[in-house]
Coordinates of all heavy atoms in Angstrom, one line a residue:
M658 N 64.3 55.6 -76.1 CA 64.7 57.0 -75.7 C 63.5 57.6 -75.0 O 62.6 58.0 -75.7 CB 65.1 57.8 -76.9 CG 66.3 57.2 -77.7 SD 66.7 58.1 -79.2 CE 67.7 59.4 -78.5
A659 N 63.6 57.7 -73.7 CA 62.4 58.1 -72.9 C 62.7 59.5 -72.3 O 63.8 59.9 -72.2 CB 62.1 57.1 -71.8
G660 N 61.6 60.1 -71.8 CA 61.7 61.4 -71.2 C 62.1 62.5 -72.1 O 62.7 63.5 -71.6
I661 N 61.9 62.4 -73.4 CA 62.3 63.4 -74.3 C 61.2 64.4 -74.6 O 60.1 64.0 -75.1 CB 62.7 62.7 -75.7 CG1 63.7 61.6 -75.4 CG2 63.3 63.8 -76.6 CD1 65.0 62.0 -74.8
L662 N 61.4 65.6 -74.2 CA 60.4 66.6 -74.4 C 60.2 66.9 -75.9 O 61.1 66.7 -76.7 CB 60.7 67.9 -73.7 CG 60.9 67.8 -72.2 CD1 61.3 69.2 -71.6 CD2 59.7 67.3 -71.5
P663 N 59.0 67.4 -76.3 CA 58.8 67.7 -77.8 C 59.9 68.6 -78.4 O 60.3 68.3 -79.5 CB 57.4 68.3 -77.8 CG 56.7 67.8 -76.6 CD 57.8 67.6 -75.5
A664 N 60.3 69.6 -77.6 CA 61.3 70.5 -78.1 C 62.7 69.9 -78.3 O 63.6 70.4 -78.9 CB 61.4 71.7 -77.2
K665 N 62.9 68.7 -77.6 CA 64.2 68.0 -77.6 C 64.2 66.9 -78.6 O 65.3 66.2 -78.7 CB 64.5 67.5 -76.2 CG 64.6 68.6 -75.1 CD 65.7 69.5 -75.3 CE 65.8 70.5 -74.2 NZ 67.0 71.4 -74.3
K666 N 63.1 66.6 -79.3 CA 63.1 65.4 -80.1 C 64.0 65.5 -81.3 O 64.7 64.6 -81.7 CB 61.7 65.1 -80.6 CG 60.7 64.6 -79.5 CD 59.3 64.3 -80.1 CE 58.5 63.7 -79.0 NZ 57.1 63.4 -79.5
A667 N 64.1 66.7 -81.8 CA 65.0 67.0 -83.0 C 66.5 66.7 -82.5 O 67.3 66.2 -83.3 CB 64.8 68.4 -83.5
E668 N 66.8 67.1 -81.3 CA 68.2 66.9 -80.8 C 68.4 65.4 -80.6 O 69.6 64.9 -80.8 CB 68.4 67.7 -79.5 CG 68.3 69.2 -79.7 CD 68.5 69.9 -78.4 OE1 69.0 69.3 -77.4 OE2 68.2 71.1 -78.3
A669 N 67.4 64.7 -80.2 CA 67.6 63.2 -80.1 C 67.9 62.6 -81.4 O 68.7 61.7 -81.5 CB 66.3 62.6 -79.5
I670 N 67.2 63.0 -82.5 CA 67.5 62.5 -83.8 C 68.9 62.9 -84.2 O 69.7 62.1 -84.8 CB 66.5 63.1 -84.8 CG1 65.0 62.7 -84.5 CG2 66.8 62.6 -86.3 CD1 64.8 61.2 -84.5
Q671 N 69.3 64.1 -84.0 CA 70.6 64.6 -84.3 C 71.7 63.8 -83.6 O 72.8 63.5 -84.1 CB 70.8 66.1 -84.0 CG 72.0 66.7 -84.5 CD 72.1 68.2 -84.2 OE1 71.7 68.6 -83.1 NE2 72.6 69.0 -85.2
F672 N 71.4 63.4 -82.3 CA 72.3 62.6 -81.5 C 72.6 61.3 -82.2 O 73.7 60.8 -82.2 CB 71.6 62.4 -80.1 CG 72.3 61.4 -79.2 CD1 73.7 61.6 -78.8 CD2 71.7 60.3 -78.8 CE1 74.3 60.7 -78.0 CE2 72.3 59.4 -77.9 CZ 73.6 59.6 -77.6
L673 N 71.5 60.7 -82.7 CA 71.7 59.4 -83.4 C 72.5 59.6 -84.7 O 73.3 58.8 -85.1 CB 70.3 58.8 -83.7 CG 69.5 58.3 -82.5 CD1 68.1 57.9 -83.0 CD2 70.1 57.1 -81.9
Q674 N 72.2 60.7 -85.4 CA 72.9 60.9 -86.7 C 74.4 61.2 -86.5 O 75.2 60.8 -87.3 CB 72.2 62.1 -87.4 CG 70.8 61.9 -87.9 CD 70.1 63.2 -88.4 OE1 70.3 64.2 -87.8 NE2 69.3 63.1 -89.4
N675 N 74.7 61.8 -85.4 CA 76.1 62.1 -85.1 C 76.9 60.9 -84.5 O 78.1 61.0 -84.4 CB 76.2 63.3 -84.1 CG 75.8 64.6 -84.7 OD1 75.8 64.7 -86.0 ND2 75.3 65.5 -83.9
G676 N 76.2 59.9 -84.1 CA 76.8 58.7 -83.5 C 76.7 58.8 -82.0 O 77.0 59.8 -81.4
E677 N 76.1 57.8 -81.4 CA 75.8 57.8 -79.9 C 77.0 57.8 -79.1 O 77.1 58.3 -78.0 CB 74.9 56.6 -79.6 CG 73.6 56.6 -80.3 CD 72.9 55.3 -80.2 OE1 72.7 54.8 -79.1 OE2 72.5 54.8 -81.3
S678 N 78.1 57.2 -79.6 CA 79.4 57.2 -78.8 C 80.5 56.9 -79.8 O 80.2 56.7 -81.0 CB 79.3 56.1 -77.7 OG 79.2 54.8 -78.3
V679 N 81.7 56.8 -79.3 CA 82.8 56.5 -80.2 C 82.7 55.1 -80.8 O 83.0 54.9 -82.0 CB 84.1 56.6 -79.4 CG1 85.3 56.2 -80.3 CG2 84.3 58.0 -78.9
S680 N 82.1 54.2 -80.0 CA 82.0 52.8 -80.5 C 80.8 52.6 -81.4 O 80.7 51.6 -82.1 CB 81.9 51.8 -79.3 OG 80.8 52.2 -78.5
I681 N 79.8 53.5 -81.3 CA 78.6 53.3 -82.1 C 78.6 54.4 -83.3 O 78.6 55.6 -83.0 CB 77.3 53.5 -81.3 CG1 77.3 52.5 -80.1 CG2 76.1 53.4 -82.1 CD1 76.1 52.6 -79.2
P682 N 78.6 53.9 -84.5 CA 78.8 54.9 -85.6 C 77.6 55.7 -85.9 O 76.5 55.5 -85.3 CB 79.1 53.9 -86.8 CG 78.4 52.6 -86.4 CD 78.5 52.5 -84.9
K683 N 77.8 56.7 -86.8 CA 76.7 57.5 -87.2 C 75.6 56.7 -87.9 O 75.8 55.7 -88.5 CB 77.2 58.6 -88.1 CG 78.2 59.5 -87.5 CD 78.7 60.6 -88.5 CE 79.7 61.5 -87.9 NZ 80.2 62.5 -88.9
S684 N 74.3 57.2 -87.7 CA 73.2 56.5 -88.3 C 72.5 57.4 -89.3 O 72.5 58.6 -89.3 CB 72.2 56.1 -87.2 OG 72.8 55.3 -86.2

Side-chain angles (χ1 to χ4, degrees):
M658 303 179 79
I661 309 298
L662 301 179
K665 302 290 185 180
K666 287 183 179 180
E668 294 179 18
I670 299 297
Q671 190 179 40
F672 172 61
L673 293 171
Q674 291 170 325
N675 292 336
E677 301 166 48
S678 66
V679 176
S680 60
I681 300 179
K683 298 178 181 180
S684 299

